[in-house]
Amino acid sequence: MTTALVIGSGIAGLYTALELRRRSDIQVTVLAKGALAQSNTWYAQGGIAAVLPGRDQVGQLPPGPDPDSIESHVTDTLAAGAGHSDGRAARILCSEASAQIGRLVDLGTLFDRAPDGGFAVGREAAHTAARILHIGGDATGAGIAAPLIRAAQADPGISVWEHAFAADLVRENGKVSGAVVVRDGHQRVVSADSVVLATGGAGGLFAHSTNPSVATGDGVAAAWRAGAAVADLEFFQFHPTALNVAGHPLISEAVRGEGAVLRDASGRRFMADYHPAGELAPRDVVSRSIALHLARTGGEEVFLDATKLGADFLIRRFPTLNAVTAQAGFDWARNPLPVVPAAHYWMGGVWTDTAGRTSVPGLYGVGEVARTGVHGANRLASNSLLEGLVFGARAAEAIVAERAPWPTVDADTLSLAPGPVRAARADMQRVMSDHVSILREDAGLRIASKQLAEWHSNGSSVAERETANLLLGSRLLAASALARTESRGAHYRADFPGTSARKGSPIILRRAL
Ligand code: FAD
Ligand code: SIN
């Protein structure tokens, strides 16, 4: 019997599992290190970008090109990616979107509808058209995840293991053949013909993140230890508008898409000083502008002013955010919200081809853990849920077809010995936030690299293993950021503020074996 082990229960993992079952009788095991719903996917707000044939455009902002086109979605994706995207991957993402949205609908996903019965679509930053499908206004992630979870649980060919932590991959004879899994305090090896990493992102690298606590970069760390190539790790996206309270809950970009604006402490709209598209500039530009503006003017936060949208509209369009802001003590219909940028999405990850194949036979990567090159140096809003669907389906197809030959990639090798001092996760996050976040420069990156190299985390608890993974991820990120001596997308070097065609190639790394 052929088997697949899918590590992760977000959109990418669950959709890959379901697509494997739709196409074959492969027996699938899905692991989630917490409860099934504990994933970045569940918390996604704004929506999922897709150009659908024949849908009506609605929304309050002036419409973009009419009619919208896949070509325009590709162009926006590439523009946000700052000249660093894989054009073929971007074209695949945008052109295969509508087929996958159709599958989600078949699985019971209830996208919001416009009064005429067509899909309701919103606008988000750096999209030239309103093309963001959403669910429950601002609860898109849960609206997609819930039917996927139901479908996976209903399939007798899918075994779902919650609270099962994949500690490492097993590599034998040059091929990944399973994973070491810790569950109920016991460690065991789970073998499989194919292993799919769908472990999501790594917001835990930084002190402030929009991500839930499961996002600790376990997949990148495990793949690295197994000898797989990783790429573009210097590109980490900071979302411009996290509410500046404990936990930093995200305030969706869709709020700016509907017309909310950013103001500084003096009440002045400042984004036009930095980019002609103002609040709807690409996400990296808005986050960097906020950081620069705060550095120039002082202060710790800026303000998202949604007051002109009115209480009725805010409650109807953003019911979840309305509750989140009220719970934090704010009335956003009356007063601007204090916001700061927070770590949100890792463009870099485990190198894969457009069928999810990593550089090590038997190992696939899908969703946020993977670096297909589709997002380049900066992901376009609402392209990530879509990535999980499109590349999840393609990985399933490749696993079933067992395509040959396996891809190879040229990578520089790097050796990272653990340091002598036991690491505290909060100290590591502080170093990353101080020196390796939105604004970077050589001296700070060297301070961070030196400090990170002093630390280790070698305990056997899940928390200690996560800290070890974060430490490894942070060292790889800092090394990549130091090596990229230019600014591009989410990677900004104050000492190299320009973008250089000569220095643009991807930084691809592999462990020195
Ligand atoms: P995840 O959904 O993060 O799932 C990862 C899974 O891996 C989890 O089940 C976790 O338990 C499991 N896992 C991790 N490590 C291990 C391990 N060691 N062992 C076992 N299991 C493990 N994108 C959009 O396109 N549109 C949006 O509107 C949007 N809004 C967002 C809002 C927020 C607050 C956040 C945080 C992100 C948002 N994003 C959005 C980004 C998007 O949600 C994620 O990039 C995407 O959901 C990632 O999906 P994934 O399946 O790759 O990973
Ligand atoms: C948001 O709703 O602003 C998040 C969208 C995304 O990360 O794509």
Side-chain angles (χ1 to χ4, degrees):
M1 189 200 315
T2 312
T3 55
L5 176 65
V6 177
I7 307 173
S9 66
I11 189 169
L14 291 173
Y15 198 68
T16 305
L18 291 167
E19 282 291 294
L20 278 169
R21 294 291 302 157
R22 191 170 73 86
R23 294 160 190 268
S24 72
D25 61 359
I26 291 176
Q27 297 294 300
V28 184
T29 302
V30 174
L31 306 183
K33 77 172 169 185
L36 270 184
Q38 270 303 88
S39 62
N40 277 1
T41 297
W42 188 270
Y43 297 98
Q45 295 180 0
I48 182 163
V51 176
L52 304 180
R55 57 135 179 80
D56 291 321
Q57 302 229 353
V58 296
Q60 294 204 335
L61 281 179
D66 192 18
D68 194 7
S69 67
I70 289 169
E71 207 47 49
S72 157
H73 189 186
V74 173
T75 303
D76 293 348
T77 299
L78 296 178
H84 196 68
S85 316
D86 180 317
R88 183 168 163 267
R91 190 161 297 282
I92 286 171
L93 180 83
C94 302
S95 58
E96 296 182 9
S98 65
Q100 304 309 335
I101 294 292
R103 286 280 308 136
L104 280 192
V105 172
D106 292 346
L107 286 164
T109 309
L110 298 169
F111 288 104
D112 292 341
R113 299 286 178 154
D116 68 358
F119 285 113
V121 286
R123 175 104 177 252
E124 286 179 0
H127 284 273
T128 51
R131 60 167 80 98
I132 316 298
L133 309 179
H134 46 80
I135 300 169
D138 56 0
T140 308
I144 290 175
L148 292 180
I149 290 173
R150 274 198 300 275
Q153 286 175 326
D155 188 326
I158 300 179
S159 303
V160 175
W161 297 9
E162 291 182 286
H163 306 286
F165 179 79
D168 250 319
L169 297 166
V170 177
R171 182 173 169 161
E172 293 167 322
N173 304 322
K175 179 179 186 298
V176 166
S177 60
V180 177
V181 178
V182 180
R183 193 184 187 199
D184 296 331
H186 299 292
Q187 185 165 306
R188 59 186 281 199
V189 170
V190 178
S191 301
D193 298 300
S194 306
V195 176
V196 182
L197 283 174
T199 46
L205 287 170
F206 296 94
H208 301 322
S209 170
T210 63
N211 294 185
S213 60
V214 288
T216 54
D218 299 343
V220 167
W224 174 264
R225 288 190 291 265
V230 297
D232 286 350
L233 297 186
E234 66 275 29
F235 298 116
F236 203 108
Q237 179 173 81
F238 282 70
H239 195 292
T241 55
L243 193 60
N244 195 17
V245 297
H248 293 86
L250 181 76
I251 306 295
S252 175
E253 193 145 297
V255 179
R256 274 173 289 132
E258 296 289 0
V261 298
L262 287 166
R263 299 187 188 280
D264 62 18
S266 71
R268 194 174 79 82
R269 275 181 78 178
F270 59 90
M271 269 309 301
D273 301 350
Y274 296 91
H275 195 279
E279 284 86 357
L280 292 182
R283 198 172 276 178
D284 59 323
V285 174
V286 182
S287 286
R288 191 160 51 250
S289 304
I290 292 173
L292 288 169
H293 198 70
L294 289 174
R296 277 173 200 152
T297 58
E300 306 246 302
E301 59 195 12
V302 295
F303 296 86
L304 181 68
D305 184 353
T307 53
K308 78 167 187 207
L309 299 181
D312 289 349
F313 179 81
L314 289 172
I315 291 168
R316 188 166 31 84
R317 176 71 175 88
F318 301 112
T320 312
L321 286 176
N322 196 59
V324 166
T325 51
Q327 201 176 5
F330 298 101
D331 179 352
W332 65 333
R334 287 174 178 275
N335 301 306
L337 298 170
V339 292
V340 285
H344 185 62
Y345 180 92
W346 208 356
M347 274 71 71
V350 182
W351 181 93
T352 72
D353 68 6
T354 53
R357 297 183 300 177
T358 71
S359 60
V360 178
L363 181 65
Y364 296 77
V366 290
E368 188 168 343
V369 72
R371 180 275 184 196
T372 56
V374 71
H375 306 304
N378 175 51
R379 174 175 66 86
L380 184 65
S382 288
N383 267 356
S384 176
L385 293 172
L386 181 59
E387 154 187 59
L389 296 180
V390 168
F391 294 103
R394 292 173 71 86
E397 186 187 7
I399 290 169
V400 174
E402 289 184 355
R403 263 191 234 152
W406 198 265
T408 55
V409 61
D410 283 336
D412 292 330
T413 56
L414 187 65
S415 187
L416 296 173
V421 181
R422 192 178 182 79
R425 195 186 292 193
D427 291 341
M428 182 222 81
Q429 291 167 330
R430 179 46 53 206
V431 167
M432 289 296 285
S433 293
D434 285 350
H435 300 297
V436 198
S437 62
I438 301 175
L439 308 177
R440 303 168 173 171
E441 40 81 34
D442 184 83
L445 290 170
R446 285 186 194 282
I447 291 169
S449 302
K450 187 162 176 290
Q451 177 62 76
L452 294 167
E454 301 270 300
W455 283 325
H456 74 258
S457 173
N458 60 3
S460 60
S461 72
V462 166
E464 286 164 321
R465 291 176 198 251
E466 285 178 340
T467 301
N469 290 339
L470 286 168
L471 205 46
L472 177 52
S474 65
R475 291 181 71 184
L476 291 169
L477 198 164
S480 306
L482 206 44
R484 183 166 293 285
T485 51
E486 61 155 357
S487 291
R488 185 182 291 275
H491 171 73
Y492 180 80
R493 292 275 305 248
D495 46 351
F496 294 99
T499 301
S500 155
R502 198 167 47 82
K503 296 176 177 173
S505 9
I507 295 172
I508 307 177
L509 302 173
R510 174 185 288 129
R511 182 166 76 95
L513 290 172

